[in-house]
Amino acid sequence: MSLGGYSARLAAGTAPGESARMIRRTAVVVLFCASLAGCSKRADAPPLGDSGGSASGLSDSSTSGWNGDASLDASVTPAQPARDAADQDQSSPPVDDSAAVPRTGDATLANGPDASPTPGPNVTLNPFTDVYVFGDHDGGSQQSFDVVVDFPPMPLTYQSITLKIALRCPSAAVHSCDYVDQRGFVGVVQKTGNTETVYEVQRFITPYGSPASFSSDVTSVRPLLSGPVTLRLWVDTWAHPGSDMGSGWRVDVSFDFAGGVPVRWPIAVLPLWGQTIFDYGDPAQPQPYVAAREVSIPPEARGVEIRSFITGHGQGNSENCGEFCPKSHTFTIGGHPFTRSVWRTDCPSTTSPNQTSGAYVYPRAGWCPGATVLPWVQDVTSAAPAGAKAQVSYGVQEYTNTCQPAVCTLSSCAFYGTPYFNGSCIYDQQFHAVPYYVLSSVLVVYGN
């Protein structure tokens, strides 16, 4: 059965000053990993260069529950891409896009206390189809797209929700895909007054110069994907027509909702920190990098887990942080610490094939080129019992970058003694880029 009333208008845009920023830190792939990162061999580097939609289609195989009138009405407003820490003045405070989240937050339950699971109809939503993404420092970039999607309303339940992302080369020309690995996401945008917060449904990293397809289980964030929602697609590409690093990407995004009752029934998503970028290892910007939160756990809760994306970026620093250094990260919930090393070593076997650089094989801080970022999912029920108010804080293993202008020991710089060393501790955003992390976290509450 075809679902009627489906229409969309996409809005593309960039943040002020985005098109004028300097060559990004990902313009050049790291050429070797520091010994602390576990590797030292060289990798091929992509050429140096000026680095820098539509929506259609619903299908429904069930007539129960949702009536299928899922109009997708996208307001034409400029999307604000997430900022790269390399753009910030080094004396600036951390970027905390979660300011709209109250320090004491009451859960908005997806279901009332007496609600029971009601299986919804099978449905496929295609919010972004053949969207052309590119970036140009001289202006005219299309890196970010917003669309309002009318997802199946709660309390309809789904056995699974699968997010699919396809990255394709813009044309049949050789090397038209972006040569450089770049961060991207599909996220939910929430606004309070003039403050905008992005909660990532899925983060991903583009491959080096080849197509890729990703598939992710996002069933746990079902309460975020209910009713009219502003959805954002963002890819931090600086490839564009005529550049020597490719032409960008064409992107498709779809959601497959399979009606039924999931093994665990998510009834609420409690926001902690929207996408937040903070510099790492700068004594002038000490911890805490994000403010602690207090959240109210619903009395209906039968289980609680934290779901977080954390990735490290920047290179050429001491220990080759933040992209190539394993560091421990800790969430403290109700006084109970949960610690994990944010470090990914499975890149040779999990990334997309046929990449144009062999550098995709190196371990990195929570990510691989040409792969989705795996969320840190941790059961925290014992630390966040039903009906309680839970204090939640976040911290990172202490580290001082001694290869920076304010604290400079030349021999500590990762590329010291190689042709890629610029001879100083000054950031050039190529072989020496600011170390930083990108954080996005929510608590998922289950009703069973």
Side-chain angles (χ1 to χ4, degrees):
M1 175 174 102
S2 174
L3 296 180
Y6 183 80
S7 63
R9 300 189 302 276
L10 286 176
T14 58
E18 193 74 16
S19 63
R21 66 177 175 176
M22 298 176 65
I23 295 177
R24 299 177 59 255
R25 60 91 199 162
T26 49
V28 181
V29 67
V30 70
L31 301 183
F32 69 93
C33 302
S35 59
L36 281 173
C39 59
S40 58
K41 67 179 181 179
R42 293 173 183 268
D44 295 332
L48 285 170
D50 180 22
S51 65
S54 64
S56 63
L58 284 165
S59 63
D60 178 17
S61 59
S62 172
T63 58
S64 64
W66 192 28
N67 65 14
D69 187 14
S71 62
L72 192 136
D73 182 16
S75 57
V76 185
T77 55
Q80 300 295 324
R83 290 194 287 167
D84 192 314
D87 299 330
Q88 305 175 49
D89 181 271
Q90 297 312 301
S91 61
S92 65
V95 178
D96 185 353
D97 291 330
S98 61
V101 181
R103 197 167 287 260
T104 301
D106 292 328
T108 300
L109 285 179
N111 308 281
D114 299 323
S116 59
T118 303
N122 295 341
V123 63
T124 294
L125 296 159
N126 298 286
F128 302 103
T129 301
D130 197 31
V131 174
Y132 181 32
V133 181
F134 64 89
D136 189 343
H137 290 287
D138 294 327
S141 297
Q142 291 185 169
Q143 300 168 313
S144 188
F145 295 81
D146 280 3
V147 65
V148 175
V149 183
D150 198 358
F151 286 103
M154 301 297 283
L156 298 180
T157 63
Y158 288 87
Q159 183 175 8
S160 66
I161 304 173
T162 304
L163 169 61
K164 297 179 180 178
I165 303 170
L167 303 173
R168 295 176 287 109
C169 299
S171 71
V174 176
H175 301 315
S176 70
C177 285
D178 188 349
Y179 290 10
V180 183
D181 55 334
Q182 313 278 20
R183 180 169 54 92
F185 67 78
V186 174
V188 170
V189 181
Q190 297 182 352
K191 292 185 178 180
T192 301
N194 294 325
T195 302
E196 178 182 274
T197 308
V198 178
Y199 297 101
E200 293 176 84
V201 177
Q202 182 61 62
R203 190 180 300 176
F204 61 90
I205 307 295
T206 65
Y208 292 110
S210 65
S213 295
F214 309 134
S215 181
S216 303
D217 182 350
V218 297
T219 312
S220 65
V221 294
R222 162 67 172 128
L224 276 179
L225 307 175
S226 173
V229 169
T230 299
L231 200 67
R232 174 166 298 170
L233 166 66
W234 178 80
V235 182
D236 192 17
T237 179
W238 291 97
H240 59 273
S243 76
D244 59 1
M245 56 182 294
S247 300
W249 298 100
R250 289 196 176 274
V251 186
D252 302 319
V253 175
S254 66
F255 289 85
D256 289 338
F257 284 70
V261 180
V263 174
R264 299 195 75 185
W265 176 31
I267 60 172
V269 171
L270 310 182
L272 293 175
W273 300 281
Q275 182 175 255
T276 303
I277 299 172
F278 58 88
D279 294 350
Y280 182 50
D282 183 353
Q285 300 184 37
Q287 299 199 57
Y289 295 119
V290 293
R293 302 295 188 205
E294 182 180 79
V295 294
S296 297
I297 307 301
E300 297 81 11
R302 298 296 178 268
V304 180
E305 68 183 19
I306 192 166
R307 184 179 190 268
S308 184
F309 294 105
I310 305 173
T311 52
H313 307 270
Q315 63 174 331
N317 303 289
S318 57
E319 302 181 43
N320 220 0
C321 287
E323 184 171 334
F324 295 97
C325 63
K327 296 294 180 182
S328 295
H329 297 242
T330 299
F331 292 103
T332 301
I333 302 173
H336 300 273
F338 299 89
T339 300
R340 179 178 296 186
S341 176
V342 173
W343 189 239
R344 191 161 175 181
T345 61
D346 63 345
C347 298
S349 60
T350 60
T351 56
S352 58
N354 305 317
Q355 297 194 44
T356 57
S357 169
Y360 73 89
V361 302
Y362 293 140
R364 287 173 167 84
W367 60 275
C368 300
T372 56
V373 175
L374 303 177
W376 175 352
V377 177
Q378 174 86 51
D379 186 278
V380 297
T381 305
S382 61
K389 289 187 180 294
Q391 291 283 343
V392 185
S393 61
Y394 163 80
V396 191
Q397 181 179 339
E398 290 295 339
Y399 158 79
T400 297
N401 179 20
T402 55
C403 182
Q404 60 172 304
V407 184
C408 182
T409 302
L410 293 179
S411 59
S412 73
C413 299
F415 294 120
Y416 180 79
T418 76
Y420 314 107
F421 182 53
N422 66 13
S424 74
C425 291
I426 296 174
Y427 294 116
D428 57 25
Q429 307 310 334
Q430 297 182 49
F431 294 103
H432 187 203
V434 179
Y436 67 97
Y437 282 102
V438 185
L439 167 73
S440 180
S441 301
V442 299
L443 288 180
V444 178
V445 179
Y446 293 96
N448 64 342

